[in-house]
Amino acid sequence: TGMGLGIVIKLVNELNGKISVESKIDIGTEFKLVFPMAKAPSLLVNKDHEEDQCHQTPLPCLKILVVDDECDIREIIKEIMEDLGHEVIEASNGQEGLEKVKQNDFDFVFTDMKMPIMAGPEMIQEICNLNLDNKPFIIAVTGGVTTNFTQASRDEMSNSIDGYALKPFTEETLNRLLHEIYHNSKAEAA
């Protein structure tokens, strides 16, 4: 239908990249995507004290739910979290994730925003509606393109989540994000 290429062009433009195409009859078509180099973002981290706070106080073993329809992304986050000493449970869509939240006491939920069956924003709202005694911290995992969401839904989501993990992410950025959210919540509770 040609819809995929339109989405790719939109993403390339949003990321200040370039796209080119070369096509040869009976050989094939080659698309080249070029993006500017950038440092991985540090997510919701106060740079004035990130190093001392993030790495001096170890986290306890956390119970983490990873919700994403892409098996590879789930596996990457799972492997990172397990390497950091945390327990991980997976779900492949928002409905499955919501059921697991109802059945378990999670410390954190990492969720993709765009999934079949139930998308991330809907699952986040449903989790908030559960009125859990110990609501898990919610981290939205996104490619950074939220143009398909209205401003109102973005505002509502930012009031319901505790952080964003922008793809591509590293173990270091996810670890900093966990530390920042966990330690800030403990400081606020004190």
Side-chain angles (χ1 to χ4, degrees):
T1 63
M3 295 283 294
L5 186 56
I7 293 169
V8 169
I9 290 170
K10 185 175 181 179
L11 289 170
V12 167
N13 289 334
E14 286 187 26
L15 298 171
N16 297 318
K18 295 179 183 175
I19 185 170
S20 62
V21 62
E22 185 177 315
S23 188
K24 295 180 182 172
I25 297 174
D26 295 328
I27 295 177
T29 302
E30 180 179 283
F31 289 89
K32 291 183 184 178
L33 305 167
V34 179
F35 297 98
M37 293 277 293
K39 282 186 170 182
S42 54
L43 308 167
L44 296 180
V45 176
N46 182 343
K47 292 196 179 283
D48 295 337
H49 67 285
E50 69 182 3
E51 290 304 318
D52 56 350
Q53 184 173 0
C54 287
H55 299 288
Q56 289 181 0
T57 308
L59 292 173
C61 177
L62 301 170
K63 190 168 185 179
I64 297 172
L65 174 64
V66 178
V67 186
D68 200 306
D69 60 316
E70 293 183 48
C71 182
D72 293 344
I73 300 296
R74 282 196 320 270
E75 193 59 38
I76 289 168
I77 297 173
K78 178 182 180 184
E79 189 173 307
I80 289 171
M81 293 299 113
E82 288 178 342
D83 286 350
L84 294 171
H86 306 301
E87 178 186 347
V88 179
I89 294 177
E90 299 175 65
S92 61
N93 62 63
Q95 183 63 49
E96 186 181 329
L98 181 61
E99 292 306 314
K100 290 188 186 284
V101 167
K102 289 176 182 177
Q103 298 165 3
N104 295 276
D105 189 21
F106 291 103
D107 298 297
F108 279 84
V109 173
F110 283 83
T111 182
D112 188 21
M113 293 288 94
K114 296 180 183 177
M115 296 178 285
I117 303 174
M118 180 186 283
E122 185 181 351
M123 183 192 74
I124 292 166
Q125 188 58 51
E126 291 293 327
I127 290 172
C128 292
N129 292 341
L130 291 175
N131 295 319
L132 300 169
D133 290 335
N134 295 312
K135 178 187 165 283
F137 297 112
I138 298 174
I139 298 174
V141 180
T142 178
V145 180
T146 57
T147 53
N148 291 345
F149 299 116
T150 65
Q151 185 61 45
S153 67
R154 283 193 300 252
D155 291 344
E156 185 177 325
M157 268 193 303
S158 53
N159 291 329
S160 303
I161 63 170
D162 300 286
Y164 286 96
L166 302 176
K167 297 175 193 173
F169 45 77
T170 64
E171 180 173 327
E172 181 65 22
T173 56
L174 293 183
N175 191 26
R176 281 190 202 146
L177 183 57
L178 285 178
H179 273 83
E180 182 76 10
I181 293 168
Y182 184 84
H183 291 302
N184 281 346
S185 74
K186 295 300 177 196
E188 289 172 9

